[in-house]
Amino acid sequence: MRFAHAILATAAATATAIVIPSDHVIHEKRATPGTFNRRRLEPHVRLPMRIGLKSNKVARESAEKWLMDVSHPKSTQYGKHWTQEEVVSAFAPAEDTVNAVTDWLGDSGGIEKARITPTKNKAWVAFDVTVEEAERLLMTEYFESDDGERRTVGCDQYHLPSHLLEHVDYVTPGVKGLHFKPSKEKVLSKRDSNQANRRKIFEPSPPSQSNSSSLDTCDQMITHECIRALYNIPFPDPGAKVSPNNTMGIYLLSSAYAQEDLDMFFSNFTPYIANGTAPILNSINGGVAPVDVFHAGPEACMDLQLAIPLIHPQNTTVYQVDDDFWTAEQATKGGMFNTFLDAIDGSYCTYEAYGEQGDNPDFDPVYPNEREGGYKGERMCGVYKPTNVISISYMKDESELPAAYQKRQCDEWLKLGLQGVSVFVASGDSGVGDLPKPDSPNGCLRNGTVFTPGHPNTCPWLTSVGATKVYPGKTVFDPESAANNLADETYYFPYSSGGGFSNVFGVPKYQSEAVRDYFETADPGYPHYYDGNWQNSTGLYNRNGRGFPDVAANGDNIVAAFDGSIHMTGGTSAAAPIFASVVNMINEERIKIGKGPVGFINPVLYASPEVLNDIKNGSNPGCGTNGFDASKGWDPLTGLGTPDYPRMLDLFMSLP
């Protein structure tokens, strides 16, 4: 924090006139200049300058083709996943971009190459300058401002030579500003954080059942025996030899497990799992696990209690993300997943795309966290290897984050797919809407009418998972229906499976035929709009947006141990780890015969939907409508359907 202290000690500087050469243009300009306790910085103050370079344009244009090369079943390159080094090299800024910027720094700013430090992936160049040098280089004026919550160093606008516009994304500190010394605020407890982020509640106790292995009451309580029967998943061989490199990853934010809860679940429902069985912990930026029963989170308990018994004796890896302060704050505002992606790919820490570079302090945690109770270490970059399969049960609305932020993050999911990583994300629990907001009681856009797609499950390079249910009076041998309990106001967890069409991403090629067939055979009849332009339309959803979810699994009446007792829960956050577990088991069988992980599975499943159980009943109400109806083939509430393990296994084992 030496930089912050130096700035605080400065006095106001005297403004001087700036003459802008004719070959220079404004590169960025603040819409509204800051005014809070604002003062000029003295010329001698040193600034840590960073220039974000535009990533390789050819790489962006070719990225989808590259991913399809290793993911499409008819490709001769199927399964030939890239190394991380190959991905970094492909997306690095072009050499002429690096040269153009460094030449300009030397010729116009007197910043010799010895002072410049390029990152390993060449995504940005770093150097320290005085305010005087920075203002001369960028033809601007630097200020310090204080809005009462945090102090910021930046400028209202800056200029660059016109020939650099195609090479430079943005400069920091600049219009974006550099934040430091965040003010101390109330630190929410982990318990508060869990409840703020949780999209479901637990029923006090499940219905009585004398035999947890019985299939007679699966319409009331879903156990692992029910799940295995639904999807033809074989009972595990506890003594089987498994690959130590095929653990299943589970992302957890603001929710940590208690070993006592895991052991209670194992003892009551999966006695073939020994008490004390626990996941591998990958702690990111102060994430802590396990915790005591009082501080444990229901999301962590449910996800692990679903995954561990299904994939046993394979292991799980928990990515426990962020310290208590940030997880609490992120539950209600801010972005998600960037600090996690930083930790499993160091190049993402500085990756530039769509005007976004590195973590965004307006949405992402800042480390070291100077606030009381915060993680004091440096932000973790590239310290963990991603597992072959990652399950995520968290989401936000697309409308809550800038499109550029989401697109940059979506690039990273694509890069993970190139490396053979399968990522599964819950599709949400509010049908076509979302949880209530201060300006929208039903969580919908434009006066509560426009459907609200979720982030990050609308990214085309993830597998979005919706939820199904065994309805009362039905058995595991009957077809499932889309999960929807909204009509029953007395239900312990009223929700409907999230689904719809993105306002940010278009329909990917692998999905185009399925989406077209849906509109031809089951058009919902609602007015719609195109290209995400909901603000200037009377339509309810984006007709040419990426459809989600892709697949589904059971997500209701799930039995789980939490808070030292047995409860019932559900949601698409139960469906995601179930489907992810199936794919993790398939990876294990491929590894046994010398093949690699399946990676991004969407192209294979859309090309062979017959390996899934098509769901044809149910809807996902929201925004004052019935939402979408389940139909033959793909639909925007259960996707292509639920897994059938033997059929999926045969298909993926037949591929290279």
Side-chain angles (χ1 to χ4, degrees), residues 2-29:
R2 290 192 297 272
F3 161 61
H5 287 253
I7 291 177
L8 291 175
T10 63
T14 302
T16 58
I18 301 176
V19 179
I20 310 300
S22 60
D23 64 340
H24 280 55
V25 296
I26 295 176
H27 189 247
E28 285 189 287
K29 183 176 182 178

Side-chain angles (χ1 to χ4, degrees), residues 24 99-113 116 136-137 161 163-164:
H24 280 55
N99 292 338
V101 172
T102 54
D103 289 346
W104 164 66
L105 290 174
D107 297 341
S108 300
I111 313 296
E112 60 272 16
K113 289 186 178 181
I116 301 171
R136 182 174 64 247
L137 182 70
H163 76 276
L164 287 183

Side-chain angles (χ1 to χ4, degrees), residues 62 93 106 120-121 148 187 234 247 256 287 290 303 315 337 357 369 410 419 430 494 538 558 624 642:
S62 303
K120 188 175 181 180
N121 67 345
V187 179
T247 67
D303 288 7
N315 208 344
F337 313 113
Q357 182 185 48
N369 185 353
C410 190
Q419 297 171 65
S430 302
T538 57
I558 305 291
T642 61

Side-chain angles (χ1 to χ4, degrees), residues 332-380:
T332 55
K333 60 181 180 179
M336 283 185 175
F337 313 113
N338 272 353
T339 53
F340 163 63
L341 294 171
D342 289 340
I344 62 175
D345 178 11
S347 69
Y348 185 71
C349 289
T350 54
Y351 174 65
E352 175 280 318
Y354 313 100
E356 287 282 324
Q357 182 185 48
D359 292 346
N360 187 325
D362 290 332
F363 300 101
D364 299 317
V366 177
Y367 294 108
N369 185 353
E370 296 299 324
R371 305 177 189 187
E372 183 179 353
Y375 171 69
K376 297 302 187 291
E378 295 292 330
R379 176 181 51 159
M380 299 175 73

Side-chain angles (χ1 to χ4, degrees), residues 457-473:
N457 46 62
T458 54
C459 171
W461 320 126
L462 300 168
T463 302
S464 179
V465 187
T468 54
K469 176 179 179 176
V470 177
Y471 273 76

Side-chain angles (χ1 to χ4, degrees), residues 423-438:
V423 183
F424 298 87
V425 182
S427 70
D429 300 334
S430 302
V432 295
D434 192 34
L435 297 175
K437 297 180 175 60

